[in-house]
Amino acid sequence: MSDFRSLNVVDNFYQNNLFFPMPTVAISTLCEDGSTTIGSYSLVFPYYIAGKDYYAMILEARNSSNTAQNILKNGKCALNFIKDDKKYFKELVRLGFPGKTPAEKMKDCWFELIPGEAEGERPLILKDAYQVIECTWDDSLEDAYKAKEHIGELEGVEPPYNNFNGITSKFGCHFILKIDKILMEAEYADALKNGVKANSFPAVPVDYGYHDSKNFWYKKFKGFRPTSEPIATSNSADVDSVMYCAERLDTKVKFTKEACELYTKIPRPFMKAALLQVAEIAEANGIEVIDKAAAEKIAEIKKKMK
């Protein structure tokens, strides 16, 4: 008999239902004022690899993120692959935490940014990346350009949705990114040209996608065990802002202050959606007032749903 156990597939299944190795990428995009901002991503994969008139990557992102909003506006981005260095990963974890404006995030960013080589107005690229893919979103596929009508809708987009390009769900986007330029550090480019050996590979971190409320887990290039990088919580809400959000939900369920204190670590961009899910579970289980005890009961119900 198999020793496998069946898991219910839930939102963010690649984090909650799988140990799924992925790349660690800093995506630079162009803001309206011409400045460059950086977001951290792992859901970036090859898409068109042969037999078409161009090559492409696919990016999956929250449609409310700075990265997605910028791509919707101007279609340009650069995929910067970082090296295995703890200080790089630590900075990407900081840059990946949602809720800050580009100016707030980039104010303390110590990555050195330089111009790329693709034509036109472009975001800057990371000087310390071992490879960079400069891209343009192909918004002609599936009439994805129509998604521009929803720029600025940061609390979720109502249907209809596209299937594979543009806005694909209430909170999600897919971008088919045409490859304009591939840039690579000289030693690795030479290795590809002259013959790769075991010591030719760049030292790169492997992101497992998984993170909880405290740590983001990844695998260093050397060694056997995954390690973790603490997630900064400075963007978490205080209890008053949680109560403010809870009081404005379109639901009959009420939240007490002691219950709201349990939700202060939820990042602000996810607060409304998270509280709505809690309220829906409460209604389904006949709970009219969510106090501390009810919140703990709902947390147990959510665990069983996974």
Side-chain angles (χ1 to χ4, degrees):
M1 184 175 179
S2 172
D3 194 36
F4 285 117
R5 295 184 182 180
S6 177
L7 301 178
N8 293 325
V9 182
V10 299
D11 285 357
N12 293 328
F13 66 88
Y14 68 96
Q15 293 177 333
N16 295 312
N17 297 121
L18 296 168
F19 293 100
F20 193 77
M22 298 181 291
T24 306
V25 183
I27 299 186
S28 51
T29 55
L30 201 60
C31 299
E32 287 184 298
D33 63 1
S35 63
T36 293
T37 189
I38 297 171
S40 307
Y41 287 87
S42 288
L43 295 177
V44 186
F45 310 100
Y47 194 71
Y48 290 142
I49 61 169
K52 199 170 177 67
D53 59 352
Y54 65 89
Y55 301 104
M57 303 288 288
I58 185 168
L59 164 66
E60 301 172 43
R62 286 182 301 109
N63 54 39
S64 61
S65 67
N66 295 322
T67 298
Q69 289 289 304
N70 285 342
I71 294 176
L72 287 171
K73 291 172 186 175
N74 56 61
K76 306 298 183 183
C77 68
L79 314 180
N80 305 270
F81 290 74
I82 69 165
K83 302 172 186 176
D84 182 18
D85 188 311
K86 187 172 179 61
K87 67 179 181 179
Y88 293 161
F89 201 91
K90 184 180 183 68
E91 180 68 345
L92 278 196
V93 170
R94 184 188 74 81
L95 291 169
F97 199 82
K100 288 188 176 182
T101 65
E104 290 171 336
K105 285 207 301 185
M106 298 302 292
K107 178 170 63 76
D108 299 318
C109 179
W110 52 263
F111 281 125
E112 184 176 353
L113 300 176
I114 61 174
E117 295 186 11
E119 295 181 355
E121 188 176 11
R122 299 272 178 165
L124 300 175
I125 66 173
L126 270 63
K127 182 179 180 181
D128 290 321
Y130 67 89
Q131 65 185 17
V132 180
I133 309 175
E134 295 187 276
C135 300
T136 300
W137 175 37
D138 187 349
D139 62 4
S140 67
L141 296 172
E142 208 178 8
D143 293 335
Y145 61 88
K146 294 179 181 178
K148 296 178 182 293
E149 299 172 4
H150 300 287
I151 290 173
E153 296 181 19
L154 305 183
E155 293 190 356
V157 178
E158 297 304 315
Y161 304 121
N162 284 5
N163 291 313
F164 65 90
N165 192 33
I167 294 179
T168 51
S169 68
K170 185 171 184 177
F171 301 109
C173 267
H174 286 65
F175 295 107
I176 308 303
L177 301 172
K178 179 180 179 181
I179 295 175
D180 299 315
K181 284 278 186 179
I182 294 179
L183 307 175
M184 186 175 294
E185 282 196 331
E187 63 176 298
Y188 305 118
D190 290 343
L192 290 179
K193 179 180 178 181
N194 301 321
V196 174
K197 300 178 182 178
N199 61 358
S200 302
F201 289 83
V204 302
V206 175
D207 171 17
Y208 279 109
Y210 178 79
H211 66 80
D212 50 29
S213 61
K214 295 182 179 180
N215 296 300
F216 203 107
W217 290 86
Y218 70 106
K219 173 71 172 62
K220 295 180 69 61
F221 188 71
K222 293 182 178 180
F224 299 97
R225 293 180 180 273
T227 187
S228 63
E229 179 60 37
I231 298 173
T233 57
S234 59
N235 250 18
S236 300
D238 56 39
V239 66
D240 290 335
S241 60
V242 177
M243 291 181 65
Y244 181 90
C245 182
E247 289 168 357
R248 284 155 179 78
L249 297 178
D250 185 15
T251 176
K252 295 179 180 179
V253 174
K254 303 299 181 184
F255 290 75
T256 67
K257 184 173 183 178
E258 63 176 354
C260 290
E261 289 174 348
L262 301 176
Y263 303 121
T264 54
K265 291 185 178 181
I266 299 173
R268 286 187 178 91
F270 306 145
M271 183 64 68
K272 184 176 180 180
L275 294 183
L276 275 173
Q277 184 185 37
V278 170
E280 288 171 0
I281 295 173
E283 289 183 349
N285 288 271
I287 300 172
E288 296 182 356
V289 177
I290 301 176
D291 55 16
K292 185 176 181 180
E296 291 172 348
K297 179 180 178 180
I298 291 169
E300 289 300 315
I301 293 172
K302 286 180 66 178
K303 286 182 182 179
K304 294 177 181 179
M305 293 168 60
K306 291 186 177 182

